[in-house]
Amino acid sequence: PVTEKFTAFKSPVFNTPKDLLDSAIASVAAQIYPHWELCIADDCSTEPHVRDVLEEWRRREPRIRTVFRDRNGHISEATNSALALASGQWIAMMDHDDLLREHALAEVALEIASHPTAEIVYSDEDKIDANGRRYDPYFKPDFSRELFRSQNYLNHLTVHRAENVRAVGGWRPGCEGSQDYDLNLRVIERIDPRAIRHIPKVLYHWRAAEGSTAVSGSEKTYAYDAGFKALNEHVRRAGLSAVVEAAPDTPFYRVRMLLPERRPLVSLVIPTRDKVDILKGCVES
């Protein structure tokens, strides 16, 4: 039997519109997998409806746990406040206005049951607009360290083994906007890449609201800058002889590996017989 307990994290709630906050929480409450808790940190919202919605849900659903911060600390500090509430073996990260599919946690639990050495599990995703229309599905590849060093393609839904999140110190202030990319990089540095599992199913709907990076990566340039910083620090920690650059005309990055001072010799082996015209072009190229 699968009995892994999940903590679903709401990225810090701050003045989230009432209907979006209510729908996001409802998508967790509707999970067909029952072993979960939802930890929500309100980051000192100034809109009174936020507390009302959270208190009402907490009365209705005992698996929901909340903390109301007395000052606004932004996303990393507030997410760490939610982490302090968590008792699950696994941490599923979720934005405050997005939606989970009703079988999302069940699919993750089955993947873990099939691969008990897993450390990270992630799924495909799509976007959802203000009218509830789903679009732009993102069908991801299995884990590639090289691709991940150009973009946080794990994104949503990503589920971490809780002990790894705590071992690296949780979310770091100063990486806001790309705080999850920074966390993923630090966790991936300490685990076997073969323990990163991909579920090729759309389990998460990313809300495309005005101002969201779901609409356009250019909506939050500070997020790109924070990701650049996180990747630079990862390259240094990993001891790579490389520089991080912007990938031209994209919202992504490029890790350019540097050649050693003593350049290695490369030998080209050309098996040939007759066909001098073909050989001539080959050698000249």
Side-chain angles (χ1 to χ4, degrees):
V2 181
T3 58
E4 298 284 354
K5 184 178 181 181
F6 292 93
T7 296
F9 267 174
K10 301 283 295 150
S11 273
V13 169
F14 180 74
N15 291 345
T16 313
K18 182 178 180 180
D19 58 332
L20 301 186
L21 178 58
D22 192 68
S23 296
I25 297 173
S27 76
V28 179
Q31 291 298 300
I32 61 175
Y33 182 81
H35 304 291
W36 57 264
E37 65 183 358
L38 175 59
C39 295
I40 305 174
D42 174 59
D43 199 20
C44 202
S45 290
T46 57
E47 296 289 342
H49 72 263
V50 174
R51 180 179 285 268
D52 293 341
V53 170
L54 297 182
E55 294 285 14
E56 174 60 25
W57 269 107
R58 191 168 61 173
R59 283 191 293 269
R60 290 162 52 187
E61 175 51 74
R63 291 171 291 183
I64 294 178
R65 310 178 71 186
T66 58
V67 59
F68 295 92
R69 292 172 50 85
D70 57 9
R71 67 177 182 85
N72 183 271
H74 211 351
I75 193 166
S76 294
E77 287 190 19
T79 306
N80 286 330
S81 294
L83 178 62
L85 301 175
S87 63
Q89 298 101 319
W90 294 86
I91 303 296
M93 295 178 286
M94 178 181 180
D95 281 351
H96 62 159
D97 53 359
D98 295 341
L99 302 174
L100 292 182
R101 296 301 305 272
E102 63 276 4
H103 59 295
L105 296 183
E107 292 281 1
V108 175
L110 289 171
E111 183 69 19
I112 293 168
S114 300
H115 301 87
T117 61
E119 302 286 348
I120 296 175
V121 180
Y122 67 98
S123 77
D124 295 345
E125 65 190 66
D126 63 13
K127 295 173 185 171
I128 188 166
D129 66 16
N131 297 315
R133 182 181 66 90
R134 293 171 52 194
Y135 69 104
D136 196 16
Y138 186 6
F139 302 119
K140 306 171 187 177
D142 287 348
F143 183 69
S144 162
R145 184 175 58 186
E146 286 67 34
L147 180 60
F148 192 71
R149 285 173 173 164
S150 72
Q151 56 180 286
N152 181 25
Y153 75 90
L154 272 60
N155 204 32
H156 306 303
L157 173 70
T158 300
V159 183
H160 283 273
R161 195 177 288 273
E163 63 189 51
N164 290 330
V165 175
R166 292 191 173 92
V168 300
W171 287 262
R172 289 198 304 167
C175 295
E176 285 79 8
S178 286
Q179 70 287 334
D180 292 343
Y181 190 36
D182 174 67
L183 176 79
N184 291 343
L185 285 166
R186 287 182 287 126
V187 170
I188 287 169
E189 289 165 16
R190 67 191 306 272
I191 65 175
D192 187 336
R194 291 171 295 183
I196 302 173
R197 304 295 308 171
H198 169 223
I199 300 175
K201 299 180 182 180
V202 173
L203 301 180
Y204 192 101
H205 307 315
W206 193 7
R207 181 78 63 179
E210 184 178 355
S212 168
T213 49
V215 176
S216 169
S218 62
E219 289 282 358
K220 296 181 180 177
T221 56
Y222 74 89
Y224 182 89
D225 294 341
F228 194 94
K229 172 178 177 286
L231 187 57
N232 255 314
E233 293 179 359
H234 162 73
V235 166
R236 288 201 298 270
R237 288 192 303 267
L240 298 179
S241 178
V243 294
V244 178
E245 303 174 342
D249 303 317
T250 77
F252 308 130
Y253 314 106
R254 176 180 180 180
V255 175
R256 185 188 293 275
M257 305 301 291
L258 302 178
L259 292 173
E261 288 189 16
R262 183 176 180 179
R263 302 295 165 85
L265 177 68
V266 178
S267 298
L268 301 181
V269 178
I270 306 174
T272 183
R273 181 166 186 258
D274 301 331
K275 304 289 185 182
V276 68
D277 53 331
I278 295 177
L279 178 61
K280 183 175 185 291
C282 183
V283 171
E284 289 178 348
S285 73

